[in-house]
Amino acid sequence: MRSKKEIRKEMRTLQVNMIQTSDEKGMNHPLTIQISQELDRLINEYMKLRQEK
């Protein structure tokens, strides 16, 4: 299992990628949506780790 620190780092990377993709391709582009969904998955994983504390 990944650490909270690793997840936060990946979340930041996905946030930047999502913003760049939405600027280039639009908010409703399939790639923007895919990155957003992956970011949502990571946020959920991170929140679960925080609750286990």
Side-chain angles (χ1 to χ4, degrees), residues 14-30:
L14 282 173
Q15 287 172 330
V16 169
N17 289 344
M18 185 177 67
I19 291 167
Q20 289 175 341
T21 302
S22 69
D23 286 347
E24 293 170 6
K25 300 182 184 293
M27 294 284 292
N28 294 320
H29 190 276

Side-chain angles (χ1 to χ4, degrees), residues 36-52:
S36 175
Q37 290 171 338
E38 178 64 17
L39 181 57
D40 288 345
R41 189 187 65 73
L42 281 178
I43 291 169
N44 289 332
E45 183 179 340
Y46 180 78
M47 296 306 290
K48 284 181 184 178
L49 284 175
R50 286 191 64 197
Q51 289 176 351
E52 291 175 1

